[in-house]
């Protein structure tokens, strides 16, 4: 069984969490720079540690949940972590990891794309001058 940690407890961490196959991996905890998040347990169960306190000796993978993860990538390089141990959930093909359900990621991305097109379609009458309702001045 793989031992993993999640880095970044923002908007997308729940999708990553739901994508984990708990029969094949154990979530050892979470990493986040926010000191308020470090004072509490994530999901009332998992300890949250500072990026400065990471020890990867007994961790197989760290899964980065942040979309724009450049600062995390710099921190990882500074700490000298093995790049093979880091999974950038939103940038990598996660289907090669048997403990991650890649379909959850695909479904989330498709729903986001659908929402974007739905908003564009709803705004089209205004965008193309077809709206004939009252004008607010």
């Amino acid at each position: 069984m793989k031992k993993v940690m999640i880095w970044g407890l923002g908007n997308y961490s729940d999708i990553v969490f739901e994508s984990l196959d708990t029969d094949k991996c154990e979530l050892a905890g979470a990493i986040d720079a926010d000191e308020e998040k470090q004072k509490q347990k994530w999901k009332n169960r998992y300890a949250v540690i500072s990026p400065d306190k990471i020890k990867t000796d007994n961790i197989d993978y760290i899964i980065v949940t942040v979309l724009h993860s450049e600062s995390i990538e710099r921190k990882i390089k500074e700490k000298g972590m093995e790049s093979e141990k880091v999974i950038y959930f939103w940038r990598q093909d996660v289907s090669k990891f048997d403990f991650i359900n890649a379909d959850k990621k695909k479904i989330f991305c498709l729903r986001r794309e659908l929402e974007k097109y739905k908003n564009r379609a709803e705004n089209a009458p205004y965008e193309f001058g077809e709206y004939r309702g009252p004008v607010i001045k």
Side-chain angles (χ1 to χ4, degrees):
M1 182 173 290
K2 303 287 184 207
K3 205 167 190 179
V4 301
M5 291 188 81
I6 287 179
W7 189 328
L9 299 179
N11 297 333
Y12 302 108
S13 56
D14 284 338
I15 290 109
V16 175
F17 178 74
E18 291 167 14
S19 298
L20 296 177
D21 182 343
T22 54
D23 290 333
K24 296 180 180 174
C25 74
E26 174 191 349
L27 184 59
I31 305 160
D32 201 285
D34 184 334
E35 291 180 8
E36 288 302 310
K37 291 177 183 173
Q38 294 168 18
K39 293 176 186 175
Q40 44 196 300
K41 296 236 181 229
W42 185 54
K43 304 231 176 254
N44 297 319
R45 185 172 172 192
Y46 302 102
V48 181
I49 63 167
S50 163
D52 298 324
K53 296 182 180 176
I54 299 171
K55 291 184 173 75
T56 58
D57 301 346
N58 59 348
I59 299 296
D60 295 302
Y61 292 99
I62 292 175
I63 305 170
V64 178
T65 69
V66 181
L67 283 176
H68 304 288
S69 54
E70 294 80 12
S71 63
I72 293 174
E73 196 168 1
R74 278 193 301 278
K75 189 75 164 175
I76 286 169
K77 285 179 183 172
E78 285 172 17
K79 295 203 61 83
M81 287 184 228
E82 300 169 43
S83 59
E84 304 83 42
K85 282 188 161 191
V86 182
I87 301 169
Y88 295 93
F89 188 83
W90 300 105
R91 289 194 324 212
Q92 283 181 256
D93 174 12
V94 295
S95 64
K96 64 183 178 181
F97 301 100
D98 69 340
F99 57 91
I100 298 176
N101 181 344
D103 291 340
K104 298 249 185 197
K105 176 183 173 181
K106 289 176 191 169
I107 291 167
F108 174 80
C109 291
L110 286 170
R111 283 187 177 141
R112 236 179 109 168
E113 197 71 13
L114 179 63
E115 190 65 29
K116 182 172 72 174
Y117 284 109
K118 180 181 164 200
N119 288 337
R120 285 177 67 188
E122 287 174 356
N123 289 319
Y126 307 100
E127 209 172 305
F128 299 112
E130 296 294 319
Y131 180 70
R132 299 288 180 238
V135 177
I136 299 172
K137 294 183 180 184

